């Protein structure tokens, strides 16, 4: 692990500081105003009630002066840290030159594409920018795949999350997200992901024969499987919202082989796992595969500037001008931010740092798991970590109420965490990757106390 000393300067050094139990009076005022004037679909402040004031590195300050250690990272956006000085300098340098460009070329756009293509595998030699959010990259990936094929159906994976626009939502497995909204895109079929803690085939690591991947082969092979040959399969190399699920090494290569055998394009969604999050520039690199199409967003915007895109093989570049347009496909500040962020990632070996600190944090979590009655499994790769909470380690009955209790206790004590997983029972850590080891340790101690408190209510 190449600990970059400068990382210490990036965060508020005194974190965590709780001056007033959150939500404090100023936060309450903002929250009340928000709930009286904004729509009820607003979600994050329901779990972490506070108004935000400033953020630096891996720390966040609320409007009441509380400073938190951030294990949430703006939902996996802040890989280079909040207010990263390199990113802010690049953005302020660009601010009074040009900010909106549709898809006209500009120097910041070209600079970003040059670095990006140098990081991508050689075969992903085309880059295309989409609307500002990750979901739009998913829409574009699906459109591109369909445009290149006479097939129409799609394969997605259980536990997968790809966004909220109609196509992306169709490919996301969460039932609650879709309730009362059906029908969405027709012809999407969900198959099992390698969620080994709850293997649908009842296997354990010793008996595993990657039945989940074989199942895909079976439905593509058997003319009576009920599934028309699909145009593409979309997968997260490491699942994020599904609960920080790392598949065994053989899973992704098997999926890739099966897709190739059946002429199905493989779309790998790197929107959350990409850009050093899991200890590699892109998560698929852990498994020695290269997708046909890759989606990207979140950390590409450096400091939360909106940007999304796809990278794909040149042979697929058959669509004509205007086939996927949109007003906001060229935020020049996001290009400048992204370019600075990628350079920062390379200069600081952020992928290596994330891998090393992630291993350390996972070993601390595994120690806590041993002594805990409610941790079913601590898992993850790099700094995409998750702790699955259960009521009973033998029955594995999910414990979503413990997860939300832990999130609240952590918040009260100065640590921000999020919740995900099939049963909303996984406490997820997606810290800015510039998290120092000291802050990581302090955060884990707060988390451990929160686990003990939840366990006490068993
Ligand atoms: C893997 C993955 N794909 C797609 C998306 C959707 O991105 P956005 O929320 O920017 O539309 C997300 C968001 O969390 C994600 O994690």
């Amino acid at each position: 692990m190449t600990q970059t000393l400068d990382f210490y300067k990036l965060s508020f050094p005194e974190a965590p500081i709780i001056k007033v139990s959150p939500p404090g009076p100023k936060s309450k005022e903002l929250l009340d105003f928000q709930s009286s004037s904004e729509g009820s679909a607003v979600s994050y402040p329901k779990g972490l009630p506070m108004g935000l004031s400033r953020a630096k590195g891996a720390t966040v300050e609320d409007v009441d002066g509380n400073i938190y250690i951030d294990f949430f990272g703006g939902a996996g956006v802040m890989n280079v840290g909040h207010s990263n000085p390199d990113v802010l300098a690049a953005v302020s340098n660009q601010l009074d030159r040009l900010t909106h460009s549709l898809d006209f070329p500009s120097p910041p756009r070209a600079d970003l594409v040059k670095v990006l293509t140098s990081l991508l595998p050689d075969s992903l030699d085309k880059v295309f920018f989409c609307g500002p959010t990750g979901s739009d990259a998913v829409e574009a990936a699906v459109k591109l795949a369909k445009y290149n094929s006479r097939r129409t159906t799609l394969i997605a994976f259980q536990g997968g999350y790809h966004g909220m626009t109609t196509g992306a939502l169709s490919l996301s497995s969460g039932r609650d997200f879709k309730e009362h909204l059906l029908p969405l895109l027709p012809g999407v079929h969900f198959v099992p992901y390698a969620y080994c803690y709850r293997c649908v085939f009842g296997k354990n690591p010793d008996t595993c024969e990657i039945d989940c991947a074989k199942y895909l082969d079976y439905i593509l092979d058997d003319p009576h499987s009920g599934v028309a040959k699909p145009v593409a399969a979309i997968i997260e190399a490491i699942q994020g919202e599904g609960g920080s699920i790392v598949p065994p090494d053989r899973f992704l290569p098997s999926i890739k082989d099966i897709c190739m055998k059946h002429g199905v394009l493989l779309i790998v969604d790197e929107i959350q796992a990409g850009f050093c999050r899991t200890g590699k520039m892109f998560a698929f690199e852990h498994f020695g595969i290269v997708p046909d199409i890759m989606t990207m967003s979140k950390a590409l915007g450096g400091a939360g500037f909106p940007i999304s895109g796809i990278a794909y093989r040149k042979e697929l570049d058959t669509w004509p001008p205007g086939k996927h347009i949109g007003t906001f496909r060229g935020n020049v500040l996001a290009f400048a931010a992204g370019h600075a962020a990628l350079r920062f990632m390379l200069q600081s070996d952020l992928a290596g740092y994330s891998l090393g600190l992630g291993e350390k944090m996972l070993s601390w979590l595994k120690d806590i798991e041993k002594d805990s009655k409610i941790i079913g499994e601590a898992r993850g790769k790099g700094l995409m970590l998750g702790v699955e909470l259960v009521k009973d380690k033998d029955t594995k009955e999910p414990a979503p109420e413990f997860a939300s209790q832990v999130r609240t206790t952590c918040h009260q004590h100065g640590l921000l965490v999020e919740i995900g997983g099939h049963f909303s029972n996984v406490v997820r850590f997606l810290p800015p990757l510039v998290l120092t080891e000291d802050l990581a340790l302090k955060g884990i101690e707060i988390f451990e106390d929160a686990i003990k408190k939840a366990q006490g209510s068993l």
Side-chain angles (χ1 to χ4, degrees):
M1 184 166 80
T2 48
Q3 167 73 51
T4 307
L5 274 177
D6 282 344
F7 286 3
Y8 282 95
K9 293 190 206 142
L10 295 181
S11 296
F12 294 120
E14 62 276 35
I17 296 179
I18 295 297
K19 292 184 177 161
V20 45
S21 182
K26 290 182 180 159
S27 287
K28 272 195 193 126
E29 201 181 315
L30 285 175
L31 290 164
D32 287 348
F33 175 68
Q34 185 177 47
S35 60
S36 65
S37 54
E38 294 184 36
S40 51
V42 165
S43 76
Y44 289 118
K46 306 277 165 29
L48 294 167
M50 63 183 164
L52 298 182
S53 164
R54 295 188 300 167
K56 238 169 99 63
T59 50
V60 170
E61 186 180 9
D62 73 14
V63 285
D64 296 287
N66 294 319
I67 298 180
Y68 305 91
I69 299 169
D70 183 11
F71 277 11
F72 177 38
V77 166
M78 290 297 168
N79 291 15
V80 298
H82 296 274
S83 312
N84 179 290
D86 295 7
V87 171
L88 295 191
V91 170
S92 58
N93 195 33
Q94 184 58 39
L95 193 54
D96 55 5
R97 287 167 185 263
L98 178 75
T99 53
H100 175 64
S101 71
L102 298 162
D103 54 10
F104 290 103
S106 65
R109 186 179 189 117
D111 288 345
L112 175 61
V113 172
K114 276 181 210 155
V115 182
L116 202 49
T117 44
S118 75
L119 300 173
L120 287 162
D122 289 345
S123 61
L124 297 182
D125 41 10
K126 283 284 174 184
V127 170
F128 178 77
F129 293 109
C130 313
T133 190
S135 302
D136 196 57
V138 173
E139 300 290 343
V142 167
K143 267 191 192 174
L144 180 67
K146 282 190 170 171
Y147 194 78
N148 275 281
S149 163
R150 294 175 65 192
R151 301 177 182 173
T152 53
T153 55
L154 293 156
I155 296 291
F157 288 79
Q158 290 158 1
Y161 180 76
H162 302 287
M164 281 283 148
T165 51
T166 296
L169 183 56
S170 312
L171 299 161
S172 303
S173 63
R175 209 181 275 153
D176 289 352
F177 290 135
K178 302 191 215 189
E179 204 181 25
H180 307 312
L181 302 177
L182 297 172
L184 297 166
L185 264 194
V188 177
H189 299 278
F190 287 90
V191 295
Y193 191 80
Y195 181 15
C196 302
Y197 179 67
R198 296 182 190 276
C199 176
V200 251
F201 299 95
K203 299 288 180 66
N204 61 50
D206 297 330
T207 55
C208 171
E209 288 177 34
I210 314 287
D211 297 294
C212 41
K214 286 183 184 157
Y215 183 74
L216 176 61
D217 195 26
Y218 151 70
I219 64 165
L220 297 181
D221 237 358
D222 185 336
H224 274 261
S225 69
V227 178
K229 287 264 183 183
V231 51
I234 183 162
I235 194 164
E236 292 162 87
I238 294 178
Q239 275 188 344
E241 300 305 305
S244 305
I245 301 173
V246 186
D249 289 346
R250 286 180 295 159
F251 179 66
L252 259 287
S254 303
I255 295 292
K256 171 78 189 178
D257 289 348
I258 293 163
C259 284
M260 279 174 65
K261 178 175 149 195
H262 295 280
V264 175
L265 293 171
L266 183 64
I267 303 170
V268 175
D269 183 344
E270 289 278 340
I271 287 168
Q272 187 169 134
F275 300 112
C276 307
R277 166 63 53 197
T278 69
K280 296 271 188 196
M281 186 53 72
F282 302 108
F284 62 74
E285 293 172 35
H286 288 291
F287 306 100
I289 62 144
V290 177
D292 297 297
I293 305 174
M294 180 195 109
T295 59
M296 56 193 150
S297 186
K298 290 201 189 261
L300 183 58
F305 288 91
I307 186 170
S308 82
I310 54 177
Y312 53 93
R313 289 193 284 109
K314 198 167 40 210
E315 306 84 89
L316 297 174
D317 200 31
T318 55
W319 50 1
K323 199 71 191 172
H324 190 73
I325 49 174
T327 307
F328 294 114
R329 285 178 306 126
N331 186 299
V332 193
L333 299 180
F335 293 139
H339 179 236
L342 292 183
R343 285 171 61 94
F344 180 90
M345 288 176 199
L346 293 172
Q347 279 161 6
S348 59
D349 182 22
L350 203 58
Y353 182 74
S354 160
L355 192 67
L357 184 57
E359 269 167 19
K360 239 179 215 177
M361 286 176 71
L362 186 57
S363 74
W364 300 336
L365 290 170
K366 289 272 179 206
D367 286 342
I368 300 171
E369 177 188 327
K370 268 186 232 137
D371 297 331
S372 160
K373 285 188 266 177
I374 62 167
I375 297 183
E377 184 180 58
R379 57 178 177 252
K381 194 97 174 157
L383 289 171
M384 188 191 270
L385 299 166
V387 179
E388 177 149 0
L389 303 185
V390 290
K391 290 184 185 143
D392 182 303
K393 284 190 171 197
D394 293 326
T395 65
K396 299 187 179 176
E397 186 186 345
E401 58 279 52
F402 287 157
S404 53
Q405 187 185 335
V406 165
R407 175 176 57 185
T408 299
T409 312
C410 286
H411 186 207
Q412 297 289 331
H413 292 92
L415 175 70
L416 305 179
V417 297
E418 239 312 29
I419 292 175
H422 287 226
F423 305 93
S424 303
N425 64 328
V426 179
V427 181
R428 300 198 60 221
F429 302 160
L430 289 168
L433 308 181
V434 296
L435 179 75
T436 61
E437 196 173 323
D438 288 355
L439 286 177
L441 191 55
K442 281 189 209 168
I444 295 285
E445 282 166 5
I446 294 171
F447 171 75
E448 183 174 12
D449 288 344
I451 287 286
K452 284 185 183 150
K453 189 171 170 209
Q455 203 165 271
S457 58
L458 254 185

